[in-house]
Amino acid sequence: MTPSTLTGPAPAAAPAPPLAARAASVGASPVREILALTERPEVISFAGGLPAPELFDADGIRAAYDRVLAGEPHRVLQYSTTEGDPALRNAVAERLTGRGLATGPDALLVTTGSQQGLTLLATALLEPGDTVVVENPTYLAALQCFGFAGARVVPVPSDEDGIDPEALAEVVERERPKLLYLVPTFQNPTGRTLPLARRQAVAEVAARHGLWMLEDDPYGELRFEGEHQPWLSSLPQAADRTVLLGSFSKVMAPGMRLGWLRAPAALRRACVIAKQSLDLHCSTVDQAAAARYLADSDLDAHLARVRDAYRARRDALVDGLAAALPDGSTWNRPEGGMFVWARLPEGYDATALLREAVARDVAYVPGAPFFAGTPDPATLRMSFTTHTPEEIREGLRRLAGVLRTSR
């Protein structure tokens, strides 16, 4: 007899253990899934929140990589410190200080885009079951991040000027949150900017009730018109409890995956430890190239060209919406950033209409996924950055064929 006949058939393998509850409870990004529908080159997409690739300073960035690889190859190809390249932190600190927020390099942590900053802060601050309050609607990936942390997310009513401070105070008194998350300047998805008086009122609420504020600012340097608004982080009422996130993705290149976090010392140290558990440090060579670029190139002149192009594209989109959207629709005219927020009349469902739009080679992002509370199905987000004014006008003609004839 063979051993197999003595022992019988091998037992069936036991199933693998299940995924963590947080992985099962947080769904995929519907925006990411929608974007997969728009990859055909003939689609004019207002969906992606992407910078215009033809405006990247590819020559300047390539020169920066060439210089650091030629001059310091052994350093820039080696491991580096978690906190980040000292030259890059110094350059960021100088830019922040020059724009009115006194900052030293030791107050900064370099991150893999500002998105990693969200993850680090959620790891350092939030226990499962903690409450986070957000403006409504808000940045979709922040909702995912807080969901993975096991937080309870509570929306605060907002209007055309952003979060309502009186409503915030009521929600904070009732819910006792640990963290308030805001994109106060050219918000994603709405493009709204919080006025100074509201910023001060929000900071006072945070100080009075003892909660952390997370100020996410990836778009602040993309202002086309109007007056600069001070960071929440610069307001004395809550400077000791406010974290500022920034990114090079919208001003330099998203493929470099570099951002930064400015936080009070104890929280920043906790984020450093959390980052060590994730990736040890950001790419050494990418950080060195970014620092070299900031030293050798004129980022402000580059941004002036970007802003001029984006202003013309915003104008083309906003000026064409009256003919593209159904009668009774509303929309805003942001002073900067990348997004216009629109609302169709009652009875329209932007999600249901998207597949018909994509079939006609035009796309947008439905607004519903951005809501932490009950979604508004009639809303949509439109990005104007990645198409020329001529392409935008053609995209709006296609969109009119869908939205003005459907309900």
Side-chain angles (χ1 to χ4, degrees), residues 223-283:
R223 176 173 287 280
F224 319 143
E225 58 192 44
E227 295 297 321
H228 168 73
Q229 297 296 327
W231 284 289
L232 290 164
S233 305
S234 71
L235 301 178
Q237 299 97 317
D240 65 337
R241 67 195 64 234
T242 305
V243 181
L244 178 64
L245 296 181
S247 175
F248 288 110
S249 293
K250 308 304 187 294
V251 300
M252 194 178 294
M256 298 177 80
R257 300 310 303 132
L258 291 173
W260 46 265
L261 178 157
R262 180 189 186 274
L267 179 54
R268 187 177 65 256
R269 285 193 295 270
C271 290
V272 169
I273 295 169
K275 183 171 171 61
Q276 288 169 351
S277 75
L278 291 177
D279 62 3
L280 300 181
H281 62 82
C282 296
S283 162

Side-chain angles (χ1 to χ4, degrees), residues 77 119 124 141 184 186 195 210 212:
L77 296 176
T119 300
F186 313 135
W212 287 98

Side-chain angles (χ1 to χ4, degrees), residues 36-401:
L37 302 173
T38 70
E39 292 177 351
R40 291 181 287 115
E42 63 270 24
V43 175
I44 295 177
S45 177
F46 300 113
L50 310 176
E54 73 275 12
L55 299 178
F56 295 154
D57 183 8
D59 291 340
I61 293 173
R62 182 173 59 248
Y65 276 97
D66 287 346
R67 287 200 65 181
V68 299
L69 285 168
E72 302 179 276
H74 298 109
R75 180 182 75 85
V76 304
L77 296 176
Q78 186 56 280
Y79 287 111
S80 58
T81 61
T82 303
E83 290 82 355
D85 185 307
L88 181 57
R89 285 188 288 143
N90 189 65
V92 173
E94 289 181 352
R95 287 187 68 81
L96 290 174
T97 300
R99 295 176 62 205
L101 181 61
T103 302
D106 290 342
L108 300 169
L109 168 63
V110 178
T111 59
T112 305
S114 59
Q115 185 65 39
Q116 187 186 58
L118 271 172
T119 300
L120 297 177
L121 288 160
T123 301
L125 281 177
L126 299 177
E127 303 282 1
D130 280 345
T131 300
V132 178
V133 290
V134 300
E135 54 201 325
N136 204 36
T138 192
Y139 176 45
L140 176 59
L143 294 176
Q144 288 183 298
C145 178
F146 300 141
F148 267 111
R152 188 173 67 97
V153 180
V154 177
V156 178
S158 304
D159 59 23
E160 63 274 6
D161 285 327
I163 196 167
D164 180 341
E166 292 185 5
L168 172 65
E170 293 175 3
V171 171
V172 169
E173 290 217 14
R174 184 179 69 245
E175 303 292 344
R176 301 297 178 186
K178 182 180 282 188
L179 175 67
L180 165 63
Y181 171 75
L182 293 170
V183 187
T185 305
F186 313 135
Q187 194 233 23
N188 183 359
T190 66
R192 298 166 180 161
T193 295
L194 197 65
L196 175 58
R198 287 201 180 188
R199 291 175 188 240
Q200 293 169 331
V202 165
E204 288 167 0
V205 171
R208 186 165 66 251
H209 292 280
L211 68 152
W212 287 98
M213 287 199 302
L214 175 47
E215 179 179 14
D216 200 354
D217 185 39
Y219 311 105
E221 294 198 84
L222 299 179
R223 176 173 287 280
F224 319 143
E225 58 192 44
E227 295 297 321
H228 168 73
Q229 297 296 327
W231 284 289
L232 290 164
S233 305
S234 71
L235 301 178
Q237 299 97 317
D240 65 337
R241 67 195 64 234
T242 305
V243 181
L244 178 64
L245 296 181
S247 175
F248 288 110
S249 293
K250 308 304 187 294
V251 300
M252 194 178 294
M256 298 177 80
R257 300 310 303 132
L258 291 173
W260 46 265
L261 178 157
R262 180 189 186 274
L267 179 54
R268 187 177 65 256
R269 285 193 295 270
C271 290
V272 169
I273 295 169
K275 183 171 171 61
Q276 288 169 351
S277 75
L278 291 177
D279 62 3
L280 300 181
H281 62 82
C282 296
S283 162
T284 311
V285 67
D286 292 336
Q287 292 184 77
R292 188 74 261 164
Y293 180 84
L294 290 171
D296 294 348
S297 300
D298 189 340
L299 178 59
D300 290 327
H302 169 67
L303 284 173
R305 293 188 291 272
V306 171
R307 286 191 290 261
D308 285 345
Y310 286 178
R311 182 189 299 109
R313 297 174 187 199
R314 178 212 54 186
D315 290 347
L317 178 60
V318 172
D319 293 347
L321 286 175
L325 302 186
D327 294 339
S329 298
T330 58
W331 57 90
N332 60 348
R333 186 184 185 88
E335 294 182 333
M338 304 174 72
F339 306 111
V340 168
W341 184 247
R343 188 180 190 281
L344 306 177
E346 293 294 335
Y348 281 82
D349 186 328
T351 302
L353 290 167
L354 178 60
R355 288 193 179 276
E356 183 179 349
V358 172
R360 300 197 190 192
D361 295 333
V362 65
Y364 55 84
V365 173
F370 297 95
F371 287 84
T374 302
D376 183 346
T379 55
L380 60 147
R381 188 195 77 178
M382 303 182 74
S383 176
F384 48 79
T385 52
T386 53
H387 292 289
T388 66
E390 294 74 20
E391 291 168 336
I392 288 171
R393 285 188 278 270
E394 172 57 28
L396 290 175
R397 282 192 288 271
R398 298 176 189 180
L399 193 61

